[in-house]
């Protein structure tokens, strides 16, 4: 199926795509990066500005600067004055002269370099050129055809144009990040001798890139005071590549709006996943680091240089499995009690009419206003009276009590959402009230019950404040209190703390994965009108 109007739109899209490529190439040819390197330094002690010693040192530095200028270098002289008063009350002065060389580089200068940013730039440029080429070849002989009538070759080429433009767009921030790491963080760590591995290779690459290999043995001094700045025009590559991407989408799908919205949705989901999962990544890699690497404030390695699997066995010998078992018993028992008491109470709230029903519902809601911290003294006295203080059973009962109101309120909404006719039909068939509840209502209320169950379990599993007050014996501690042994006033054993935290997440993850299919329906089961 041909469309003359589509032919014109495709040609305009191709022209705009090429325009975006041309703009990107122009930007790449501009000196977007500027470098300032100290190529010569001279210090003169006991020197004051204007005296004879100062004039002599200044003349020597001027002579050196003229020599650099004669070689075609753009240099300038800077001086810093440091004055101090010694123990005798005399003022001393230190003047430091530096000859700074100003350098500028375009992005095309990265084409020949072996720096990490050079590999990214080559990939970025090739993707941009490949996108334009694929778009042009994909339109050849099929400019008027609707996307669903394209042959396999044209469809693949047009899709490749969009994918390559997207990759080029994403490589722009990667390119900037690589340069910031190489010229900022890595060189700074090498100059402070906080990092030694790979220093010689990086210095040689920077020497060839900035000084054409002329720095030689003076590269350490030249790079010690190196400062780097990129022009804001560098970010104009983003709209240039975005224009190419939009034109490629128009050529492939003949529509931008729906594809763009879907792409934005994918980007949003990806960013949210990274934000949510990053703490878990830190927990995972730190759990298997050595103690020295956990104290590395510069976070030099994304992953442990050596995976220390013995961290798990160490925390096992320090009682973590016992703490996990206590937490499983407390959370599981509290959840079971909350469900056993909450289901009949919620059923009564949803189906029965009795005196004080509204007052009871108000009391259930109002009970959620009280924080456990406010009631700690009363809870402690009650547990002492019942001889349940410093016991796992007492902690389980307290957690069940505090989560009871939430379970009742959530389950009431679930039962209200179920049609009363289902229960009446069961009564007609010979079931009693309890039998109808068990055989009919509970299976239909399974999503809501699962939702209440998992929330109660997680609340009891994460409880910390009451456990800290009620439990004094180490063997009775839940995991939330037990892992505090790895944190003291003068030291935190991060590898053990994160290893224990990693194990503590496993039961909750297993529970969530096993009942996740019921959770979505349960979250909306109480949303009824009336």
């Amino acid at each position: 199926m041909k469309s003359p109007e589509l032919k014109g739109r495709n040609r305009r899209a191709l022209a705009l795509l090429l325009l975006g490529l041309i703009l990107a190439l122009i930007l790449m040819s501009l000196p977007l990066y500027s470098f300032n390197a100290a190529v010569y330094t001279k210090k003169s002690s006991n020197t004051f500005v204007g005296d004879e010693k100062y004039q002599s040192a200044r003349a020597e530095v001027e002579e050196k600067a003229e020599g650099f200028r004669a070689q075609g270098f753009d240099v300038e002289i800077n001086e810093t004055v440091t004055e101090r008063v010694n123990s005798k009350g005399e003022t001393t002065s230190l003047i430091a002269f530096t000859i700074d060389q100003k350098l500028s580089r375009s992005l095309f200068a990265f084409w020949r370099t072996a720096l990490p940013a050079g590999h990214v730039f080559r990939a970025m440029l090739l993707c941009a050129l490949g996108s334009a080429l694929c778009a042009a070849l994909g339109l050849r002989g099929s400019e008027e055809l609707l996307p669903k009538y394209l042959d396999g070759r044209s469809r693949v080429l047009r899709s490749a144009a969009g994918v390559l433009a997207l990759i080029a767009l994403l490589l722009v921030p990667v390119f900037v990040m690589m340069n910031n790491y190489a010229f900022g963080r890595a060189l700074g760590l090498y100059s402070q001798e906080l990092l030694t591995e790979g220093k010689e290779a990086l210095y040689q690459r920077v020497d060839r890139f900035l000084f054409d290999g002329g720095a030689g043995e003076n590269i350490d001094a030249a790079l010690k005071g190196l400062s780097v700045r990129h022009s804001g025009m560098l970010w104009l590559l983003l709209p240039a590549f975005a224009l190419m991407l939009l034109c490629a989408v128009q050529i492939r799908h003949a529509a931008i709006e729906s594809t763009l919205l879907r792409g934005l949705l994918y980007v949003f989901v990806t960013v949210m996943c990274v934000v949510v999962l990053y703490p878990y990544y830190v927990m995972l890699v730190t759990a298997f680091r050595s103690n020295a690497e956990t104290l590395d404030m510069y976070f030099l390695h994304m992953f442990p240089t050596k995976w220390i699997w013995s961290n798990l066995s160490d925390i096992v010998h320090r009682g973590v499995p016992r703490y996990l078992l206590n937490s499983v018993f407390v959370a599981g028992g509290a959840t079971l009690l909350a469900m056993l008491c909450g289901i009949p109470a919620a059923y009564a709230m949803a189906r029965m009419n009795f005196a004080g029903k509204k007052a009871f519902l108000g009391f259930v809601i109002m009970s959620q206003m009280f924080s456990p911290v406010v009631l700690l003294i009363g809870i402690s006295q009650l547990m002492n009276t019942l001889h349940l203080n410093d016991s796992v059973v007492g902690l389980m009962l307290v957690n069940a009590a505090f989560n009871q109101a939430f379970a009742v309120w959530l389950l009431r909404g679930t039962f209200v959402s179920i049609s009363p006719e289902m229960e009446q039909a069961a009564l007609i068939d010979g079931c009693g009230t309890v039998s109808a509840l068990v055989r009919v209502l509970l299976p239909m209320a399974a999503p809501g019950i699962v939702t209440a169950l998992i929330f109660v379990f997680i609340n009891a599993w994460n409880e910390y404040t009451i456990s800290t007050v009620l439990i004094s014996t180490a063997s009775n501690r839940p995991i939330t209190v037990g892992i505090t042994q790895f944190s003291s006033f003068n030291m935190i054993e991060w590898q053990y703390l994160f290893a224990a935290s990693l194990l503590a997440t496993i039961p909750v993850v297993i529970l969530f994965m096993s009942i996740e299919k019921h959770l979505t329906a349960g979250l909306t089961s109480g949303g009824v009108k009336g």
Side-chain angles (χ1 to χ4, degrees):
M1 190 77 153
K2 295 184 177 181
S3 173
E5 181 182 355
L6 181 61
K7 179 178 180 180
R9 290 205 303 269
N10 283 337
R11 288 186 174 181
R12 288 192 295 272
L14 180 61
L16 288 174
L17 188 148
L18 295 176
L19 176 62
L21 176 62
I22 293 172
L23 291 175
L25 294 176
I26 292 174
L27 288 170
M28 292 176 182
S29 64
L30 298 177
L32 299 181
Y33 270 90
S34 60
F35 301 86
N36 195 356
V39 295
Y40 178 80
T41 302
K42 178 179 177 58
K43 296 181 179 180
S44 181
S45 59
N46 297 323
T47 303
F48 294 89
V49 177
D51 64 9
E52 184 177 349
K53 194 174 182 180
Y54 169 84
Q55 297 292 344
S56 176
R58 179 79 184 188
E60 181 182 345
V61 174
E62 291 280 3
E63 183 180 354
K64 284 283 186 181
E66 288 300 325
F68 283 113
R69 293 190 183 102
Q71 298 177 29
F73 295 111
D74 180 18
V75 298
E76 65 176 13
I77 300 175
N78 294 309
E79 63 180 62
T80 57
V81 180
T82 304
E83 293 186 352
R84 294 180 180 177
V85 179
N86 59 21
S87 58
K88 298 179 180 181
E90 300 173 343
T91 302
T92 60
S93 176
L94 173 67
I95 298 181
F97 298 93
T98 59
I99 299 178
D100 295 329
Q101 179 182 359
K102 293 183 177 180
L103 302 167
S104 59
R105 294 288 185 270
S106 68
L107 299 195
F108 282 112
F110 289 89
W111 178 267
R112 294 179 291 106
T113 182
L115 291 168
H119 302 306
V120 177
F121 173 74
R122 287 188 287 272
M124 182 201 309
L125 181 59
L126 292 176
C127 285
L129 296 173
S131 175
L133 180 61
C134 289
L137 294 177
L139 282 175
R140 186 177 180 182
S142 59
E143 295 176 340
E144 301 178 353
L145 291 177
L146 293 172
K148 60 182 179 180
Y149 297 109
L150 293 174
D151 57 17
R153 171 185 169 278
S154 298
R155 186 179 292 109
V156 170
L157 287 173
R158 294 186 184 190
S159 299
V163 172
L164 292 174
L166 177 61
I167 294 175
L169 176 67
L170 297 177
L171 286 178
V172 173
V174 175
F175 174 78
V176 175
M177 182 183 67
M178 288 293 185
N179 276 326
N180 291 341
Y181 177 82
F183 293 109
R185 188 163 183 261
L187 290 181
L189 293 174
Y190 286 138
S191 65
Q192 300 174 44
E193 298 184 354
L194 296 172
L195 187 65
T196 56
E197 183 181 355
K199 175 180 178 179
E200 183 177 352
L202 179 61
Y203 273 39
Q204 289 178 354
R205 293 168 185 170
V206 175
D207 185 13
R208 287 193 295 268
F209 176 70
L210 292 179
F211 311 110
D212 295 326
E217 296 180 355
N218 297 323
I219 186 64
D220 283 327
L223 297 182
K224 185 166 292 186
L226 181 69
S227 61
V228 186
R229 186 176 64 87
H230 67 264
S231 171
M233 295 182 65
L234 174 62
W235 297 111
L236 293 178
L237 285 173
L238 292 176
F241 289 143
L243 176 62
M244 295 181 63
L245 176 60
L246 292 176
C247 294
V249 170
Q250 170 64 36
I251 292 172
R252 174 61 183 89
H253 299 284
I256 296 179
E257 292 81 2
S258 60
T259 306
L260 183 60
L261 290 175
R262 183 180 302 174
L264 292 175
L265 177 61
Y266 290 156
V267 170
F268 174 77
V269 171
T270 302
V271 171
M272 290 302 298
C273 288
V274 171
V275 171
V276 171
L277 295 178
Y278 180 74
Y280 295 95
Y281 153 75
V282 174
M283 179 175 64
L284 175 64
V285 297
T286 308
F288 299 101
R289 291 184 186 272
S290 63
N291 183 54
E293 282 191 347
T294 60
L295 299 177
D296 172 25
M297 62 182 296
Y298 296 99
F299 208 65
L300 300 178
H301 304 284
M302 295 293 291
F303 295 95
T305 55
K306 181 181 179 182
W307 292 78
I308 310 298
W309 301 103
S310 60
N311 288 344
L312 293 179
S313 60
D314 291 342
I315 64 173
V316 167
H317 294 314
R318 294 176 66 170
V320 170
R322 175 67 181 181
Y323 303 146
L324 284 173
L325 186 62
N326 291 338
S327 286
V328 170
F329 183 79
V330 170
T335 303
L336 180 61
L337 285 175
M339 292 296 103
L340 289 177
C341 298
I343 289 175
Y347 174 78
M349 294 295 102
R351 289 289 189 264
M352 299 179 181
N353 292 316
F354 53 89
K357 178 179 177 180
K358 291 184 178 181
F360 181 78
L361 285 175
F363 173 77
V364 169
I365 299 174
M366 188 172 61
S367 65
Q368 298 298 292
M369 300 170 57
F370 295 98
S371 172
V373 178
V374 179
L375 306 175
L376 271 178
I377 297 177
I379 293 172
S380 181
Q381 291 178 348
L382 177 63
M383 292 294 105
N384 280 326
T385 303
L386 298 176
H387 302 289
L388 292 175
N389 203 15
D390 193 20
S391 69
V392 176
V393 175
L395 191 60
M396 177 189 68
L397 294 175
V398 172
N399 278 279
F402 272 104
N403 288 284
Q404 187 67 76
F406 173 79
V408 170
W409 187 257
L410 185 60
L411 291 172
R412 175 189 174 275
T414 300
F415 287 128
V416 168
S417 66
I418 300 175
S419 175
E421 283 76 10
M422 303 296 297
E423 183 182 2
Q424 293 171 4
L427 294 175
I428 293 174
D429 289 338
C431 290
T433 303
V434 177
S435 179
L437 171 64
V438 173
R439 297 185 178 184
V440 178
L441 292 185
L442 290 187
M444 297 184 67
I449 294 174
V450 166
T451 304
L453 184 148
I454 194 170
F455 275 106
V456 171
F457 184 89
I458 292 175
N459 286 337
W461 182 269
N462 293 331
E463 197 284 317
Y464 173 79
T465 306
I466 298 177
S467 303
T468 306
V469 175
L470 295 185
I471 304 298
S472 57
T473 304
S475 60
N476 292 335
R477 293 173 180 171
I479 187 64
T480 51
V481 179
I483 61 175
T484 58
Q485 67 173 304
F486 305 120
S487 176
S488 61
F489 289 106
N490 57 355
M491 184 181 65
I492 299 178
E493 298 173 291
W494 291 108
Q495 72 277 21
Y496 297 145
L497 186 63
F498 280 107
S501 301
L502 183 65
L503 292 181
T505 61
I506 294 177
V508 178
V509 171
I510 293 175
L511 174 66
F512 186 85
M513 291 178 62
S514 62
I515 60 179
E516 179 268 339
K517 61 182 179 179
H518 301 289
L519 185 59
T520 303
L523 289 174
T524 57
S525 63
V528 295
K529 183 178 179 181

